[in-house]
């Protein structure tokens, strides 16, 4: 085996009861939720018992996703599986940074709570939404976005899939234009136009908030959404900039593979990132860990 990377799930993958089995199966996972409860009481209940509608709200999604993402990674580490590198998709970058030791669990959680608040406020103020465009080349999607004053290419996911942030009033027209071009637009389960100019106010608030945090050097390689490269310096600016700029996921995975990574474990709800990675490369092994069954499978095959 070559090298292992943990990749942390992003917003949109949330679902009711997420994280419950991880907490029951792993003391290390349970400790993540205990830390969160000390800061934001009720987070565990939202994850384990919250409705789909409750978890859809950005102010709830982000802290809850952080907990499940990090809990999955800590359960793996508890079992002796250590990664050589980490990356996270959008909000997943905060648990990635935390897992790499750049922030304490408490500070990572405090930051993601604020991030959710800032992005929710920006979403309410700007009336944006998101969709994933498939079956079209990136340059074609970029061209369609340019036809609208409030449409932006934002998540470069994998070959043939590019997510866009679009004003809600223009979303129907945008989707129709995508259809005319031979593609398909799939609405995403998020509550705003993230990683675009819709989030400029949130990014500004993040820069101010991040002045309150001290970052340690990472214990392992951490890849940035904003640059698609390893963190080198100024992590605060990396985390603020990614809020209003595209997620360069395909580049991140390609750069990780080039560095020697041949096994990826998605930590957190769902298999979205696992699916994207499979489309980026057919030559890597891919696992996901989100509950007791998937945790035990990964441990059995990788230990």
């Amino acid at each position: 085996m070559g090298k292992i990377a943990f990749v942390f799930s992003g917003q949109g993958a949330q679902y009711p009861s997420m994280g419950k089995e991880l907490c029951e199966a792993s003391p290390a996972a349970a400790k993540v939720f205990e830390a969160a409860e000390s800061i934001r009481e009720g987070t565990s209940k939202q994850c384990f018992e919250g409705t789909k509608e409750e978890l859809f709200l950005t102010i709830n999604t982000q802290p809850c996703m952080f907990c499940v993402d990090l809990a999955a990674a800590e359960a793996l580490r508890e079992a002796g599986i250590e990664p050589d590198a980490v990356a996270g998709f959008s909000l997943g970058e905060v648990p990635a940074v935390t897992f790499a030791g750049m922030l304490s669990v408490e500070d990572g959680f405090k930051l993601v709570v604020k991030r959710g608040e800032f992005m929710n406020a920006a979403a309410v103020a700007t009336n944006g939404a998101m969709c994933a465009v498939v079956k079209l080349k990136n340059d074609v999607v970029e061209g369609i976005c340019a036809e609208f004053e409030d449409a932006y290419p934002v998540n470069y996911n994998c070959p043939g899939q590019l997510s866009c942030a679009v004003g809600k009033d223009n979303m129907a027209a945008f989707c129709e234009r995508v259809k005319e071009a031979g593609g398909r637009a799939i609405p995403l389960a998020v509550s705003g136009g993230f990683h675009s100019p819709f989030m400029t106010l949130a990014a500004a608030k993040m820069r101010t908030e991040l002045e309150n945090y001290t970052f340690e050097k990472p214990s392992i390689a951490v890849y940035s959404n904003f640059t698609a490269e390893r963190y080198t310096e100024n992590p605060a600016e990396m985390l603020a900039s990614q809020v209003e700029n595209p997620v360069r996921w395909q580049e991140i995975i390609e750069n990780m593979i080039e560095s020697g990574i041949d096994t990826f474990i998605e930590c957190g709800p769902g298999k979205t990132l696992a699916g994207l990675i499979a489309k980026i490369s057919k030559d890597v092994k891919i696992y996901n860990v989100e509950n007791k069954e998937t945790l035990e499978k990964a441990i059995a095959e990788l230990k």
Side-chain angles (χ1 to χ4, degrees):
M1 184 184 294
K3 297 180 179 179
I4 295 174
F6 288 0
V7 291
F8 294 80
S9 307
Q11 197 163 341
Q14 67 275 1
Y15 57 80
S17 80
M18 63 181 185
K20 189 172 188 294
E21 286 191 15
L22 284 174
C23 280
E24 293 170 349
S26 164
K31 284 183 180 179
V32 173
F33 280 90
E34 289 169 10
E37 283 296 319
S38 70
I39 296 164
R40 181 181 182 270
E41 188 175 353
T43 299
S44 298
K45 186 174 182 179
Q46 279 186 340
C47 288
F48 305 159
E49 302 175 23
T51 63
K52 181 179 178 181
E53 291 73 22
E54 187 178 8
L55 289 170
F56 175 80
L57 299 174
T58 297
I59 52 172
N60 297 330
T61 314
Q62 295 204 18
C64 288
M65 286 288 296
F66 173 95
C67 289
V68 184
D69 284 10
L70 190 59
E74 292 293 355
L76 285 165
R77 179 148 63 185
E78 181 181 49
I81 298 172
E82 293 276 2
D84 299 281
V86 294
F89 194 103
S90 188
L91 82 84
E93 190 163 342
V94 184
V97 162
T98 303
F99 183 81
M102 297 175 70
L103 291 172
S104 66
V105 174
E106 290 77 11
D107 278 354
F109 185 74
K110 289 175 184 177
L111 178 61
V112 87
V113 169
K114 289 293 185 181
R115 185 181 187 273
E117 291 174 1
F118 299 153
M119 293 177 74
N120 183 71
V124 170
T126 55
N127 202 37
M130 292 181 70
C131 64
V133 178
V134 297
K135 300 183 179 180
L136 294 177
K137 292 184 177 180
N138 288 346
D139 60 347
V140 174
V141 181
E142 290 166 348
I144 294 173
C145 286
E147 298 174 17
F148 296 82
E149 63 179 3
D150 59 353
Y152 311 93
V154 293
N155 296 342
Y156 290 77
N157 295 333
C158 67
Q161 186 180 134
L162 173 54
S163 294
C164 301
V166 186
K168 289 180 181 178
D169 293 341
N170 277 327
M171 181 60 85
F174 179 85
C175 292
E176 183 59 31
R177 182 69 185 86
V178 167
K179 185 178 180 181
E180 290 173 3
R184 185 161 65 100
I186 305 164
L188 297 179
V190 296
S191 56
F194 303 136
H195 301 287
S196 75
F198 288 119
M199 292 290 116
T200 298
L201 179 60
K205 289 183 176 179
M206 277 288 284
R207 289 186 175 91
T208 300
E209 174 67 20
L210 281 158
E211 293 175 2
N212 300 320
Y213 299 81
T214 300
F215 289 85
E216 304 295 334
K217 288 186 177 181
S219 59
I220 49 179
V222 183
Y223 284 76
S224 162
N225 283 197
F226 180 53
T227 66
E229 304 286 348
R230 290 177 59 166
Y231 271 71
T232 52
E233 56 186 22
N234 205 351
E237 182 54 32
M238 294 297 98
L239 287 169
S241 293
Q242 64 112 286
V243 169
E244 60 178 340
N245 284 283
V247 174
R248 298 163 65 178
W249 190 251
Q250 182 176 340
E251 284 183 76
I252 289 171
I253 299 304
E254 290 170 343
N255 288 339
M256 284 182 148
I257 293 170
E258 189 176 341
S259 77
I261 300 293
D262 67 359
T263 301
F264 290 87
I265 307 176
E266 178 171 3
C267 298
K271 301 179 182 178
T272 300
L273 301 186
L276 298 181
I277 294 167
K279 293 176 181 177
I280 295 169
S281 174
K282 304 298 183 186
D283 301 321
V284 298
K285 292 182 179 180
I286 307 167
Y287 301 87
N288 77 293
V289 172
E290 61 180 324
N291 53 30
K292 186 175 185 286
E293 180 184 356
T294 51
L295 174 64
E296 290 178 347
K297 179 183 177 182
I299 293 170
E301 295 192 20
L302 294 172
K303 285 256 343 192

